[in-house]
Amino acid sequence: MTALPTDSLALVLLVFVLGLKHGFDADHLATIDGLTRYNARANPGLARFCGTLFSLGHGAVVLAIALAVSLLSQGWTPPEWLELSGAWISIAFLVLLGVLNLRAVFAAETHEMVHPVGLKGRWLGRLGQVTHPGGVALVGALFALSFDTVSQAALFAVAGVQTGGWLHAVSLGFVFMFGMLLADGANGFWIARLIARADDSARVASRVMALAVGGMSLLVAAYGIARMVLPGIAAWGEGKELLLGAAVIGVVLASFVLGVRLARPRGVASQVAG
């Protein structure tokens, strides 16, 4: 809570960046990848919209959490253990996801596409093989029922109440959802294009994105650990949350754009270059 800005505009921008960053979470990428690949065979018309639908379901739960917390948080301050435990849980997940995704890149054969690796998606069972838009949204909603998502939504909801009441808290939920929707929707569309091509350029593009996601997961985790154990790093980072979050998103987006360019048909790429 102490790291969140008190200025309304700064808080809105930070929550938007958090939503974008959340959308590029390796678990989101891996699950959207699986849903898109399954629907590319079972329901091609739905495949490219899996990321958008997943994000809408996920965002609906975030909005519900923001509303509930804002209505119940009058005169209540989140306990310190909520932020502390949430930070360590996020760090542990980031380290594990970073290692697994980098391992997937180096373990893949040269003729294979690299698929993002997630943790939560392994618990889905048959839910990872839904072919109905409502089912895809339900998968996204179930993903929001995790400690990291709930704690993050609760913290910015309380900040919203303190700066503008429950309506402001819910508005921040919409801002978070919009940022996440941009990231997840673009990712689903991109994966659908890679599946349609699956040539050498597409395989390179999948490696670029996996390396970026895995590498940034480890870097963010390392920074989080440094903040927790080194007071000097924590002091240096005060007031730079928005800038640092934007830098992480910038690196991932740059890799995404590079992947899109690599995945274009060679004829289109040469025309663009010309």
Side-chain angles (χ1 to χ4, degrees), residues 1-22 152 155-156 159 172 175-177 179-180 237 239-247 249:
M1 284 294 295
T2 57
L4 294 175
T6 55
D7 177 72
S8 295
L9 179 58
L11 183 59
V12 167
L13 290 174
L14 178 59
V15 170
F16 174 71
V17 170
L18 289 174
L20 272 175
K21 183 172 172 289
H22 195 71
Q152 189 169 192
L155 287 171
F156 74 66
L172 289 177
V175 170
F176 183 91
M177 179 179 176
M180 183 173 57
K240 297 185 177 69
E241 293 79 18
L242 183 59
L243 178 62
L244 294 172
I249 298 302

PDB file of all heavy atoms in Angstrom, residues 1-22 152 155-156 159 172 175-177 179-180 237 239-247 249:
ATOM      1  N   MET A   1       0.815  -1.201   0.000  1.00  0.00           N
ATOM      2  CA  MET A   1       0.000   0.000   0.000  1.00  0.00           C
ATOM      3  C   MET A   1       0.855   1.259   0.000  1.00  0.00           C
ATOM      4  O   MET A   1       0.527   2.242  -0.638  1.00  0.00           O
ATOM      5  CB  MET A   1      -0.910   0.015   1.228  1.00  0.00           C
ATOM      6  CG  MET A   1      -2.091  -0.926   1.114  1.00  0.00           C
ATOM      7  SD  MET A   1      -3.237  -0.407  -0.173  1.00  0.00           S
ATOM      8  CE  MET A   1      -3.810   1.151   0.502  1.00  0.00           C
ATOM      9  N   THR A   2       1.952   1.217   0.718  1.00  0.00           N
ATOM     10  CA  THR A   2       2.796   2.409   0.792  1.00  0.00           C
ATOM     11  C   THR A   2       3.444   2.718  -0.544  1.00  0.00           C
ATOM     12  O   THR A   2       3.857   3.853  -0.791  1.00  0.00           O
ATOM     13  CB  THR A   2       3.889   2.211   1.862  1.00  0.00           C
ATOM     14  OG1 THR A   2       4.636   1.023   1.536  1.00  0.00           O
ATOM     15  CG2 THR A   2       3.279   2.045   3.231  1.00  0.00           C
ATOM     16  N   ALA A   3       3.549   1.718  -1.437  1.00  0.00           N
ATOM     17  CA  ALA A   3       4.183   1.951  -2.734  1.00  0.00           C
ATOM     18  C   ALA A   3       3.217   2.527  -3.751  1.00  0.00           C
ATOM     19  O   ALA A   3       3.635   3.016  -4.800  1.00  0.00           O
ATOM     20  CB  ALA A   3       4.773   0.640  -3.273  1.00  0.00           C
ATOM     21  N   LEU A   4       1.905   2.459  -3.482  1.00  0.00           N
ATOM     22  CA  LEU A   4       0.922   2.950  -4.432  1.00  0.00           C
ATOM     23  C   LEU A   4       0.831   4.473  -4.351  1.00  0.00           C
ATOM     24  O   LEU A   4       0.808   5.044  -3.259  1.00  0.00           O
ATOM     25  CB  LEU A   4      -0.444   2.338  -4.151  1.00  0.00           C
ATOM     26  CG  LEU A   4      -0.561   0.827  -4.370  1.00  0.00           C
ATOM     27  CD1 LEU A   4      -1.939   0.334  -3.947  1.00  0.00           C
ATOM     28  CD2 LEU A   4      -0.300   0.464  -5.827  1.00  0.00           C
ATOM     29  N   PRO A   5       0.777   5.154  -5.502  1.00  0.00           N
ATOM     30  CA  PRO A   5       0.687   6.619  -5.488  1.00  0.00           C
ATOM     31  C   PRO A   5      -0.651   7.087  -4.945  1.00  0.00           C
ATOM     32  O   PRO A   5      -1.673   6.405  -5.070  1.00  0.00           O
ATOM     33  CB  PRO A   5       0.858   6.988  -6.963  1.00  0.00           C
ATOM     34  CG  PRO A   5       0.446   5.769  -7.728  1.00  0.00           C
ATOM     35  CD  PRO A   5       0.835   4.605  -6.865  1.00  0.00           C
ATOM     36  N   THR A   6      -0.671   8.265  -4.342  1.00  0.00           N
ATOM     37  CA  THR A   6      -1.908   8.843  -3.819  1.00  0.00           C
ATOM     38  C   THR A   6      -2.584   9.748  -4.845  1.00  0.00           C
ATOM     39  O   THR A   6      -3.785  10.002  -4.739  1.00  0.00           O
ATOM     40  CB  THR A   6      -1.610   9.654  -2.550  1.00  0.00           C
ATOM     41  OG1 THR A   6      -0.602  10.643  -2.836  1.00  0.00           O
ATOM     42  CG2 THR A   6      -1.115   8.743  -1.433  1.00  0.00           C
ATOM     43  N   ASP A   7      -1.845  10.220  -5.843  1.00  0.00           N
ATOM     44  CA  ASP A   7      -2.422  11.025  -6.905  1.00  0.00           C
ATOM     45  C   ASP A   7      -3.298  10.139  -7.797  1.00  0.00           C
ATOM     46  O   ASP A   7      -2.897   9.050  -8.215  1.00  0.00           O
ATOM     47  CB  ASP A   7      -1.307  11.657  -7.737  1.00  0.00           C
ATOM     48  CG  ASP A   7      -1.855  12.455  -8.908  1.00  0.00           C
ATOM     49  OD1 ASP A   7      -2.412  13.535  -8.679  1.00  0.00           O
ATOM     50  OD2 ASP A   7      -1.745  11.962 -10.054  1.00  0.00           O
ATOM     51  N   SER A   8      -4.513  10.592  -8.112  1.00  0.00           N
ATOM     52  CA  SER A   8      -5.484   9.768  -8.843  1.00  0.00           C
ATOM     53  C   SER A   8      -4.982   9.368 -10.226  1.00  0.00           C
ATOM     54  O   SER A   8      -5.096   8.202 -10.626  1.00  0.00           O
ATOM     55  CB  SER A   8      -6.817  10.516  -8.964  1.00  0.00           C
ATOM     56  OG  SER A   8      -7.404  10.716  -7.699  1.00  0.00           O
ATOM     57  N   LEU A   9      -4.432  10.319 -10.977  1.00  0.00           N
ATOM     58  CA  LEU A   9      -3.965  10.018 -12.330  1.00  0.00           C
ATOM     59  C   LEU A   9      -2.815   9.029 -12.300  1.00  0.00           C
ATOM     60  O   LEU A   9      -2.784   8.066 -13.092  1.00  0.00           O
ATOM     61  CB  LEU A   9      -3.544  11.305 -13.047  1.00  0.00           C
ATOM     62  CG  LEU A   9      -3.007  11.123 -14.482  1.00  0.00           C
ATOM     63  CD1 LEU A   9      -4.055  10.445 -15.370  1.00  0.00           C
ATOM     64  CD2 LEU A   9      -2.577  12.467 -15.071  1.00  0.00           C
ATOM     65  N   ALA A  10      -1.868   9.234 -11.392  1.00  0.00           N
ATOM     66  CA  ALA A  10      -0.735   8.316 -11.276  1.00  0.00           C
ATOM     67  C   ALA A  10      -1.198   6.920 -10.897  1.00  0.00           C
ATOM     68  O   ALA A  10      -0.694   5.911 -11.394  1.00  0.00           O
ATOM     69  CB  ALA A  10       0.267   8.841 -10.250  1.00  0.00           C
ATOM     70  N   LEU A  11      -2.207   6.847 -10.015  1.00  0.00           N
ATOM     71  CA  LEU A  11      -2.739   5.550  -9.596  1.00  0.00           C
ATOM     72  C   LEU A  11      -3.413   4.845 -10.776  1.00  0.00           C
ATOM     73  O   LEU A  11      -3.247   3.637 -10.979  1.00  0.00           O
ATOM     74  CB  LEU A  11      -3.721   5.732  -8.451  1.00  0.00           C
ATOM     75  CG  LEU A  11      -4.327   4.454  -7.853  1.00  0.00           C
ATOM     76  CD1 LEU A  11      -3.235   3.538  -7.315  1.00  0.00           C
ATOM     77  CD2 LEU A  11      -5.325   4.804  -6.752  1.00  0.00           C
ATOM     78  N   VAL A  12      -4.176   5.591 -11.579  1.00  0.00           N
ATOM     79  CA  VAL A  12      -4.838   5.017 -12.755  1.00  0.00           C
ATOM     80  C   VAL A  12      -3.805   4.475 -13.734  1.00  0.00           C
ATOM     81  O   VAL A  12      -3.939   3.355 -14.257  1.00  0.00           O
ATOM     82  CB  VAL A  12      -5.740   6.071 -13.443  1.00  0.00           C
ATOM     83  CG1 VAL A  12      -6.173   5.593 -14.830  1.00  0.00           C
ATOM     84  CG2 VAL A  12      -6.967   6.351 -12.593  1.00  0.00           C
ATOM     85  N   LEU A  13      -2.758   5.243 -13.998  1.00  0.00           N
ATOM     86  CA  LEU A  13      -1.715   4.804 -14.930  1.00  0.00           C
ATOM     87  C   LEU A  13      -1.004   3.560 -14.405  1.00  0.00           C
ATOM     88  O   LEU A  13      -0.712   2.626 -15.173  1.00  0.00           O
ATOM     89  CB  LEU A  13      -0.712   5.928 -15.160  1.00  0.00           C
ATOM     90  CG  LEU A  13      -1.219   7.137 -15.962  1.00  0.00           C
ATOM     91  CD1 LEU A  13      -0.173   8.245 -15.988  1.00  0.00           C
ATOM     92  CD2 LEU A  13      -1.585   6.724 -17.386  1.00  0.00           C
ATOM     93  N   LEU A  14      -0.725   3.543 -13.100  1.00  0.00           N
ATOM     94  CA  LEU A  14      -0.042   2.395 -12.518  1.00  0.00           C
ATOM     95  C   LEU A  14      -0.908   1.137 -12.608  1.00  0.00           C
ATOM     96  O   LEU A  14      -0.418   0.057 -12.963  1.00  0.00           O
ATOM     97  CB  LEU A  14       0.317   2.676 -11.056  1.00  0.00           C
ATOM     98  CG  LEU A  14       1.009   1.520 -10.313  1.00  0.00           C
ATOM     99  CD1 LEU A  14       2.305   1.127 -10.998  1.00  0.00           C
ATOM    100  CD2 LEU A  14       1.269   1.899  -8.859  1.00  0.00           C
ATOM    101  N   VAL A  15      -2.202   1.262 -12.319  1.00  0.00           N
ATOM    102  CA  VAL A  15      -3.096   0.103 -12.384  1.00  0.00           C
ATOM    103  C   VAL A  15      -3.223  -0.387 -13.824  1.00  0.00           C
ATOM    104  O   VAL A  15      -3.289  -1.594 -14.081  1.00  0.00           O
ATOM    105  CB  VAL A  15      -4.477   0.456 -11.790  1.00  0.00           C
ATOM    106  CG1 VAL A  15      -5.496  -0.645 -12.064  1.00  0.00           C
ATOM    107  CG2 VAL A  15      -4.348   0.678 -10.290  1.00  0.00           C
ATOM    108  N   PHE A  16      -3.240   0.535 -14.796  1.00  0.00           N
ATOM    109  CA  PHE A  16      -3.281   0.132 -16.208  1.00  0.00           C
ATOM    110  C   PHE A  16      -2.033  -0.671 -16.575  1.00  0.00           C
ATOM    111  O   PHE A  16      -2.120  -1.721 -17.235  1.00  0.00           O
ATOM    112  CB  PHE A  16      -3.377   1.370 -17.099  1.00  0.00           C
ATOM    113  CG  PHE A  16      -3.288   1.071 -18.569  1.00  0.00           C
ATOM    114  CD1 PHE A  16      -4.334   0.436 -19.236  1.00  0.00           C
ATOM    115  CD2 PHE A  16      -2.150   1.404 -19.297  1.00  0.00           C
ATOM    116  CE1 PHE A  16      -4.250   0.151 -20.595  1.00  0.00           C
ATOM    117  CE2 PHE A  16      -2.061   1.122 -20.643  1.00  0.00           C
ATOM    118  CZ  PHE A  16      -3.108   0.498 -21.299  1.00  0.00           C
ATOM    119  N   VAL A  17      -0.868  -0.199 -16.138  1.00  0.00           N
ATOM    120  CA  VAL A  17       0.378  -0.916 -16.403  1.00  0.00           C
ATOM    121  C   VAL A  17       0.363  -2.281 -15.711  1.00  0.00           C
ATOM    122  O   VAL A  17       0.807  -3.284 -16.276  1.00  0.00           O
ATOM    123  CB  VAL A  17       1.595  -0.077 -15.947  1.00  0.00           C
ATOM    124  CG1 VAL A  17       2.878  -0.905 -15.984  1.00  0.00           C
ATOM    125  CG2 VAL A  17       1.743   1.143 -16.844  1.00  0.00           C
ATOM    126  N   LEU A  18      -0.161  -2.337 -14.489  1.00  0.00           N
ATOM    127  CA  LEU A  18      -0.277  -3.616 -13.787  1.00  0.00           C
ATOM    128  C   LEU A  18      -1.178  -4.582 -14.552  1.00  0.00           C
ATOM    129  O   LEU A  18      -0.915  -5.788 -14.605  1.00  0.00           O
ATOM    130  CB  LEU A  18      -0.815  -3.398 -12.375  1.00  0.00           C
ATOM    131  CG  LEU A  18       0.125  -2.740 -11.363  1.00  0.00           C
ATOM    132  CD1 LEU A  18      -0.607  -2.473 -10.053  1.00  0.00           C
ATOM    133  CD2 LEU A  18       1.355  -3.606 -11.116  1.00  0.00           C
ATOM    134  N   GLY A  19      -2.257  -4.044 -15.153  1.00  0.00           N
ATOM    135  CA  GLY A  19      -3.136  -4.888 -15.951  1.00  0.00           C
ATOM    136  C   GLY A  19      -2.441  -5.431 -17.184  1.00  0.00           C
ATOM    137  O   GLY A  19      -2.572  -6.623 -17.510  1.00  0.00           O
ATOM    138  N   LEU A  20      -1.686  -4.581 -17.875  1.00  0.00           N
ATOM    139  CA  LEU A  20      -0.907  -5.036 -19.026  1.00  0.00           C
ATOM    140  C   LEU A  20       0.083  -6.116 -18.612  1.00  0.00           C
ATOM    141  O   LEU A  20       0.198  -7.166 -19.261  1.00  0.00           O
ATOM    142  CB  LEU A  20      -0.138  -3.856 -19.636  1.00  0.00           C
ATOM    143  CG  LEU A  20      -0.824  -3.003 -20.687  1.00  0.00           C
ATOM    144  CD1 LEU A  20       0.082  -1.829 -21.054  1.00  0.00           C
ATOM    145  CD2 LEU A  20      -1.167  -3.804 -21.929  1.00  0.00           C
ATOM    146  N   LYS A  21       0.790  -5.845 -17.527  1.00  0.00           N
ATOM    147  CA  LYS A  21       1.787  -6.787 -17.031  1.00  0.00           C
ATOM    148  C   LYS A  21       1.139  -8.111 -16.643  1.00  0.00           C
ATOM    149  O   LYS A  21       1.671  -9.189 -16.926  1.00  0.00           O
ATOM    150  CB  LYS A  21       2.523  -6.172 -15.839  1.00  0.00           C
ATOM    151  CG  LYS A  21       3.640  -7.004 -15.242  1.00  0.00           C
ATOM    152  CD  LYS A  21       4.395  -6.180 -14.213  1.00  0.00           C
ATOM    153  CE  LYS A  21       5.393  -7.026 -13.456  1.00  0.00           C
ATOM    154  NZ  LYS A  21       4.741  -7.981 -12.533  1.00  0.00           N
ATOM    155  N   HIS A  22      -0.026  -8.034 -16.009  1.00  0.00           N
ATOM    156  CA  HIS A  22      -0.746  -9.244 -15.605  1.00  0.00           C
ATOM    157  C   HIS A  22      -1.167 -10.050 -16.838  1.00  0.00           C
ATOM    158  O   HIS A  22      -1.150 -11.281 -16.820  1.00  0.00           O
ATOM    159  CB  HIS A  22      -1.971  -8.852 -14.784  1.00  0.00           C
ATOM    160  CG  HIS A  22      -2.583  -9.989 -14.028  1.00  0.00           C
ATOM    161  ND1 HIS A  22      -1.988 -10.572 -12.937  1.00  0.00           N
ATOM    162  CD2 HIS A  22      -3.753 -10.670 -14.217  1.00  0.00           C
ATOM    163  CE1 HIS A  22      -2.752 -11.540 -12.473  1.00  0.00           C
ATOM    164  NE2 HIS A  22      -3.831 -11.632 -13.239  1.00  0.00           N
ATOM    165  N   GLN A 152      -3.770  -8.559  -5.224  1.00  0.00           N
ATOM    166  CA  GLN A 152      -3.477  -7.375  -6.030  1.00  0.00           C
ATOM    167  C   GLN A 152      -4.730  -6.526  -6.224  1.00  0.00           C
ATOM    168  O   GLN A 152      -4.694  -5.295  -6.075  1.00  0.00           O
ATOM    169  CB  GLN A 152      -2.913  -7.804  -7.392  1.00  0.00           C
ATOM    170  CG  GLN A 152      -2.379  -6.664  -8.223  1.00  0.00           C
ATOM    171  CD  GLN A 152      -1.602  -7.136  -9.438  1.00  0.00           C
ATOM    172  OE1 GLN A 152      -0.921  -6.349 -10.095  1.00  0.00           O
ATOM    173  NE2 GLN A 152      -1.690  -8.398  -9.779  1.00  0.00           N
ATOM    174  N   LEU A 155      -5.636  -4.728  -2.952  1.00  0.00           N
ATOM    175  CA  LEU A 155      -4.772  -3.599  -2.616  1.00  0.00           C
ATOM    176  C   LEU A 155      -5.113  -2.357  -3.424  1.00  0.00           C
ATOM    177  O   LEU A 155      -5.228  -1.255  -2.874  1.00  0.00           O
ATOM    178  CB  LEU A 155      -3.302  -3.988  -2.829  1.00  0.00           C
ATOM    179  CG  LEU A 155      -2.719  -4.957  -1.796  1.00  0.00           C
ATOM    180  CD1 LEU A 155      -1.343  -5.441  -2.225  1.00  0.00           C
ATOM    181  CD2 LEU A 155      -2.647  -4.307  -0.422  1.00  0.00           C
ATOM    182  N   PHE A 156      -5.325  -2.509  -4.744  1.00  0.00           N
ATOM    183  CA  PHE A 156      -5.634  -1.291  -5.497  1.00  0.00           C
ATOM    184  C   PHE A 156      -7.081  -0.839  -5.250  1.00  0.00           C
ATOM    185  O   PHE A 156      -7.397   0.341  -5.396  1.00  0.00           O
ATOM    186  CB  PHE A 156      -5.289  -1.415  -6.990  1.00  0.00           C
ATOM    187  CG  PHE A 156      -6.196  -2.254  -7.845  1.00  0.00           C
ATOM    188  CD1 PHE A 156      -7.511  -1.888  -8.088  1.00  0.00           C
ATOM    189  CD2 PHE A 156      -5.705  -3.385  -8.486  1.00  0.00           C
ATOM    190  CE1 PHE A 156      -8.331  -2.639  -8.923  1.00  0.00           C
ATOM    191  CE2 PHE A 156      -6.521  -4.144  -9.321  1.00  0.00           C
ATOM    192  CZ  PHE A 156      -7.844  -3.769  -9.528  1.00  0.00           C
ATOM    193  N   ALA A 159      -6.821   1.282  -2.177  1.00  0.00           N
ATOM    194  CA  ALA A 159      -6.226   2.563  -2.572  1.00  0.00           C
ATOM    195  C   ALA A 159      -7.259   3.432  -3.273  1.00  0.00           C
ATOM    196  O   ALA A 159      -7.307   4.654  -3.074  1.00  0.00           O
ATOM    197  CB  ALA A 159      -5.021   2.323  -3.477  1.00  0.00           C
ATOM    198  N   LEU A 172     -10.997   1.623 -11.139  1.00  0.00           N
ATOM    199  CA  LEU A 172      -9.647   1.069 -11.244  1.00  0.00           C
ATOM    200  C   LEU A 172      -9.696  -0.390 -11.701  1.00  0.00           C
ATOM    201  O   LEU A 172      -8.821  -0.847 -12.446  1.00  0.00           O
ATOM    202  CB  LEU A 172      -8.926   1.166  -9.893  1.00  0.00           C
ATOM    203  CG  LEU A 172      -8.515   2.566  -9.444  1.00  0.00           C
ATOM    204  CD1 LEU A 172      -7.885   2.513  -8.053  1.00  0.00           C
ATOM    205  CD2 LEU A 172      -7.541   3.193 -10.434  1.00  0.00           C
ATOM    206  N   VAL A 175      -9.976  -0.264 -15.348  1.00  0.00           N
ATOM    207  CA  VAL A 175      -8.690   0.117 -15.944  1.00  0.00           C
ATOM    208  C   VAL A 175      -7.749  -1.085 -15.988  1.00  0.00           C
ATOM    209  O   VAL A 175      -7.086  -1.349 -17.004  1.00  0.00           O
ATOM    210  CB  VAL A 175      -8.057   1.278 -15.135  1.00  0.00           C
ATOM    211  CG1 VAL A 175      -6.615   1.525 -15.594  1.00  0.00           C
ATOM    212  CG2 VAL A 175      -8.886   2.538 -15.294  1.00  0.00           C
ATOM    213  N   PHE A 176      -7.685  -1.826 -14.880  1.00  0.00           N
ATOM    214  CA  PHE A 176      -6.863  -3.032 -14.818  1.00  0.00           C
ATOM    215  C   PHE A 176      -7.327  -4.037 -15.873  1.00  0.00           C
ATOM    216  O   PHE A 176      -6.518  -4.633 -16.596  1.00  0.00           O
ATOM    217  CB  PHE A 176      -6.981  -3.641 -13.418  1.00  0.00           C
ATOM    218  CG  PHE A 176      -6.126  -4.854 -13.185  1.00  0.00           C
ATOM    219  CD1 PHE A 176      -4.838  -4.719 -12.683  1.00  0.00           C
ATOM    220  CD2 PHE A 176      -6.604  -6.127 -13.458  1.00  0.00           C
ATOM    221  CE1 PHE A 176      -4.042  -5.837 -12.452  1.00  0.00           C
ATOM    222  CE2 PHE A 176      -5.828  -7.252 -13.232  1.00  0.00           C
ATOM    223  CZ  PHE A 176      -4.537  -7.103 -12.734  1.00  0.00           C
ATOM    224  N   MET A 177      -8.624  -4.216 -15.979  1.00  0.00           N
ATOM    225  CA  MET A 177      -9.193  -5.156 -16.935  1.00  0.00           C
ATOM    226  C   MET A 177      -8.863  -4.738 -18.368  1.00  0.00           C
ATOM    227  O   MET A 177      -8.553  -5.578 -19.224  1.00  0.00           O
ATOM    228  CB  MET A 177     -10.705  -5.221 -16.730  1.00  0.00           C
ATOM    229  CG  MET A 177     -11.445  -6.144 -17.670  1.00  0.00           C
ATOM    230  SD  MET A 177     -13.215  -6.139 -17.272  1.00  0.00           S
ATOM    231  CE  MET A 177     -13.830  -7.178 -18.596  1.00  0.00           C
ATOM    232  N   GLY A 179      -6.249  -2.966 -19.468  1.00  0.00           N
ATOM    233  CA  GLY A 179      -4.844  -3.257 -19.747  1.00  0.00           C
ATOM    234  C   GLY A 179      -4.619  -4.735 -19.994  1.00  0.00           C
ATOM    235  O   GLY A 179      -3.916  -5.124 -20.935  1.00  0.00           O
ATOM    236  N   MET A 180      -5.235  -5.575 -19.161  1.00  0.00           N
ATOM    237  CA  MET A 180      -5.108  -7.023 -19.319  1.00  0.00           C
ATOM    238  C   MET A 180      -5.734  -7.490 -20.631  1.00  0.00           C
ATOM    239  O   MET A 180      -5.211  -8.370 -21.322  1.00  0.00           O
ATOM    240  CB  MET A 180      -5.769  -7.715 -18.131  1.00  0.00           C
ATOM    241  CG  MET A 180      -5.665  -9.227 -18.112  1.00  0.00           C
ATOM    242  SD  MET A 180      -6.317  -9.911 -16.566  1.00  0.00           S
ATOM    243  CE  MET A 180      -7.995  -9.243 -16.575  1.00  0.00           C
ATOM    244  N   GLY A 237      13.778   2.474  -5.428  1.00  0.00           N
ATOM    245  CA  GLY A 237      12.590   2.208  -6.232  1.00  0.00           C
ATOM    246  C   GLY A 237      11.375   3.015  -5.857  1.00  0.00           C
ATOM    247  O   GLY A 237      10.384   3.011  -6.606  1.00  0.00           O
ATOM    248  N   GLY A 239       8.693   5.622  -5.759  1.00  0.00           N
ATOM    249  CA  GLY A 239       8.256   6.593  -6.756  1.00  0.00           C
ATOM    250  C   GLY A 239       8.533   6.186  -8.183  1.00  0.00           C
ATOM    251  O   GLY A 239       8.154   6.899  -9.110  1.00  0.00           O
ATOM    252  N   LYS A 240       9.219   5.049  -8.390  1.00  0.00           N
ATOM    253  CA  LYS A 240       9.559   4.624  -9.748  1.00  0.00           C
ATOM    254  C   LYS A 240       8.722   3.418 -10.183  1.00  0.00           C
ATOM    255  O   LYS A 240       9.038   2.786 -11.196  1.00  0.00           O
ATOM    256  CB  LYS A 240      11.048   4.263  -9.839  1.00  0.00           C
ATOM    257  CG  LYS A 240      12.010   5.417  -9.569  1.00  0.00           C
ATOM    258  CD  LYS A 240      13.452   4.969  -9.796  1.00  0.00           C
ATOM    259  CE  LYS A 240      14.437   6.118  -9.615  1.00  0.00           C
ATOM    260  NZ  LYS A 240      14.523   6.543  -8.207  1.00  0.00           N
ATOM    261  N   GLU A 241       7.664   3.102  -9.445  1.00  0.00           N
ATOM    262  CA  GLU A 241       6.873   1.904  -9.748  1.00  0.00           C
ATOM    263  C   GLU A 241       6.301   1.948 -11.159  1.00  0.00           C
ATOM    264  O   GLU A 241       6.336   0.956 -11.892  1.00  0.00           O
ATOM    265  CB  GLU A 241       5.735   1.738  -8.727  1.00  0.00           C
ATOM    266  CG  GLU A 241       6.200   1.426  -7.308  1.00  0.00           C
ATOM    267  CD  GLU A 241       6.673   2.674  -6.576  1.00  0.00           C
ATOM    268  OE1 GLU A 241       6.341   3.793  -7.018  1.00  0.00           O
ATOM    269  OE2 GLU A 241       7.370   2.517  -5.559  1.00  0.00           O
ATOM    270  N   LEU A 242       5.761   3.104 -11.541  1.00  0.00           N
ATOM    271  CA  LEU A 242       5.163   3.234 -12.863  1.00  0.00           C
ATOM    272  C   LEU A 242       6.208   3.098 -13.958  1.00  0.00           C
ATOM    273  O   LEU A 242       6.004   2.404 -14.964  1.00  0.00           O
ATOM    274  CB  LEU A 242       4.446   4.581 -12.979  1.00  0.00           C
ATOM    275  CG  LEU A 242       3.701   4.853 -14.283  1.00  0.00           C
ATOM    276  CD1 LEU A 242       2.630   3.789 -14.522  1.00  0.00           C
ATOM    277  CD2 LEU A 242       3.076   6.252 -14.262  1.00  0.00           C
ATOM    278  N   LEU A 243       7.361   3.739 -13.765  1.00  0.00           N
ATOM    279  CA  LEU A 243       8.437   3.678 -14.754  1.00  0.00           C
ATOM    280  C   LEU A 243       8.970   2.262 -14.909  1.00  0.00           C
ATOM    281  O   LEU A 243       9.173   1.772 -16.040  1.00  0.00           O
ATOM    282  CB  LEU A 243       9.568   4.627 -14.344  1.00  0.00           C
ATOM    283  CG  LEU A 243      10.807   4.659 -15.260  1.00  0.00           C
ATOM    284  CD1 LEU A 243      10.415   5.132 -16.656  1.00  0.00           C
ATOM    285  CD2 LEU A 243      11.883   5.562 -14.674  1.00  0.00           C
ATOM    286  N   LEU A 244       9.185   1.575 -13.797  1.00  0.00           N
ATOM    287  CA  LEU A 244       9.721   0.218 -13.850  1.00  0.00           C
ATOM    288  C   LEU A 244       8.714  -0.743 -14.477  1.00  0.00           C
ATOM    289  O   LEU A 244       9.071  -1.621 -15.269  1.00  0.00           O
ATOM    290  CB  LEU A 244      10.097  -0.257 -12.447  1.00  0.00           C
ATOM    291  CG  LEU A 244      11.265   0.497 -11.791  1.00  0.00           C
ATOM    292  CD1 LEU A 244      11.425   0.076 -10.333  1.00  0.00           C
ATOM    293  CD2 LEU A 244      12.560   0.239 -12.551  1.00  0.00           C
ATOM    294  N   GLY A 245       7.434  -0.587 -14.120  1.00  0.00           N
ATOM    295  CA  GLY A 245       6.406  -1.424 -14.730  1.00  0.00           C
ATOM    296  C   GLY A 245       6.315  -1.204 -16.224  1.00  0.00           C
ATOM    297  O   GLY A 245       6.185  -2.154 -17.009  1.00  0.00           O
ATOM    298  N   ALA A 246       6.407   0.073 -16.644  1.00  0.00           N
ATOM    299  CA  ALA A 246       6.365   0.391 -18.067  1.00  0.00           C
ATOM    300  C   ALA A 246       7.576  -0.197 -18.796  1.00  0.00           C
ATOM    301  O   ALA A 246       7.473  -0.628 -19.955  1.00  0.00           O
ATOM    302  CB  ALA A 246       6.316   1.907 -18.259  1.00  0.00           C
ATOM    303  N   ALA A 247       8.728  -0.227 -18.132  1.00  0.00           N
ATOM    304  CA  ALA A 247       9.930  -0.793 -18.753  1.00  0.00           C
ATOM    305  C   ALA A 247       9.755  -2.291 -19.006  1.00  0.00           C
ATOM    306  O   ALA A 247      10.128  -2.804 -20.064  1.00  0.00           O
ATOM    307  CB  ALA A 247      11.147  -0.540 -17.861  1.00  0.00           C
ATOM    308  N   ILE A 249       6.879  -3.893 -19.404  1.00  0.00           N
ATOM    309  CA  ILE A 249       5.919  -4.027 -20.493  1.00  0.00           C
ATOM    310  C   ILE A 249       6.565  -3.685 -21.827  1.00  0.00           C
ATOM    311  O   ILE A 249       6.312  -4.331 -22.849  1.00  0.00           O
ATOM    312  CB  ILE A 249       4.705  -3.112 -20.252  1.00  0.00           C
ATOM    313  CG1 ILE A 249       3.984  -3.520 -18.977  1.00  0.00           C
ATOM    314  CG2 ILE A 249       3.745  -3.169 -21.431  1.00  0.00           C
ATOM    315  CD1 ILE A 249       3.496  -4.948 -18.961  1.00  0.00           C
TER     316      ILE A 249
END
